[in-house]
Amino acid sequence: MFKIPDRVADLFGNDAIRVEFQQALLAAGQVQGHEKKYLEDGPFSEVARVTHGRLRGVVVRSLPEGQQEVVAGAKALSHRLVTSGYAIHEAVQAKERVADDWEELLAFTREKCEGSARLTHNAGWERCYTYILDRAAVALGADQPAEDRDAGYAVLRHLASFYRADVDFRSSWYIQVPEAG
C-alpha cells in the first residue's frame, strides 16, 4: 500500500507474533489452507493486515474459552499494528522527526494505555499495548538509527492521540491516522 520500507515489520515483526497470528486465525476458523504458507512467509505487515481483516468481525466471547485469549490478543495487536503503520507513513510524509519530549510521551502513553487495558470488554488490549510500547521504547533508544527513532515516536503519538482530551496531552503529539477498515 505504501512505497516506504516496511517499518512495522522492522520495529514490531517477529516469528513469535507471526505464529500467534496464525494460531488465532486457526482458532477462529478464519484461515484457508492456501493462506497458511503466506502467513508463514509473507511480509509481516501484510500478515498483520490479513489477521486484522479476518478477525475484525469475530465475536471473541462466542469462541471456546481456551481460544478467547489468543484470538483477542491477535485481534487487538493486528489492529494496532496496521494503524501504527499508518502513523509511521503519515509522519514520514510530513517529514516529522522524533522530538526531545519522547520520554514524557512514552510515560503518558504507557499510563493511559494501561488504564484502558483494564477496562471491561477490552480483552487483548493489555498485551497489545505492552508489546507495542515496549518495542517503540527500544526503537527510541539513543543508539538506534534515526528512522527507527522517528517511527517509534510516530507510533507513540498515534497511541497518545486516543487520549487527546486528557489535560496532560500536548497538542504537538497529535497525529491524525485513519482507522483500519
Side-chain angles (χ1 to χ4, degrees):
M1 180 174 175
F2 304 126
K3 294 181 193 241
I4 60 173
D6 189 354
R7 304 302 299 139
V8 171
D10 293 344
L11 298 178
F12 303 107
N14 70 33
D15 290 336
I17 296 300
R18 187 181 290 270
V19 168
E20 188 176 313
F21 286 170
Q22 292 168 12
Q23 290 172 340
L25 289 167
L26 287 168
Q30 295 296 316
V31 68
Q32 298 171 6
H34 69 280
E35 294 175 318
K36 288 181 184 177
K37 186 72 175 153
Y38 184 75
L39 293 171
E40 291 173 10
D41 300 329
F44 181 81
S45 60
E46 285 303 310
V47 171
R49 195 176 321 281
V50 167
T51 302
H52 168 67
R54 293 293 173 85
L55 296 180
R56 171 176 61 216
V58 172
V59 178
V60 174
R61 286 178 268 149
S62 69
L63 298 171
E65 194 171 315
Q67 297 173 341
Q68 290 180 12
E69 186 175 336
V70 70
V71 173
K75 185 175 181 178
L77 183 57
S78 64
H79 183 142
R80 279 301 155 239
L81 288 177
V82 169
T83 59
S84 291
Y86 296 162
I88 294 167
H89 176 73
E90 291 296 325
V92 166
Q93 293 301 305
K95 296 181 179 12
E96 295 173 340
R97 307 291 313 260
V98 64
D100 291 335
D101 65 353
W102 72 265
E103 290 176 299
E104 292 85 7
L105 175 59
L106 176 61
F108 173 85
T109 307
R110 197 175 294 281
E111 176 188 334
K112 297 307 171 190
C113 288
E114 285 173 0
S116 291
R118 285 193 219 84
L119 297 175
T120 305
H121 303 298
N122 264 1
W125 288 100
E126 181 175 4
R127 164 88 168 71
C128 165
Y129 290 140
T130 300
Y131 182 77
I132 291 176
L133 290 171
D134 288 350
R135 297 296 286 252
V138 169
L140 284 160
D143 60 333
Q144 298 300 313
E147 82 177 351
D148 286 2
R149 298 187 79 231
D150 295 343
Y153 190 74
V155 170
L156 290 181
R157 289 179 56 212
H158 166 50
L159 295 177
S161 292
F162 289 105
Y163 308 99
R164 62 185 172 268
D166 188 281
V167 68
D168 293 326
F169 181 81
R170 297 181 190 171
S171 61
S172 61
W173 292 342
Y174 181 72
I175 186 169
Q176 187 171 355
V177 175
E179 192 51 58

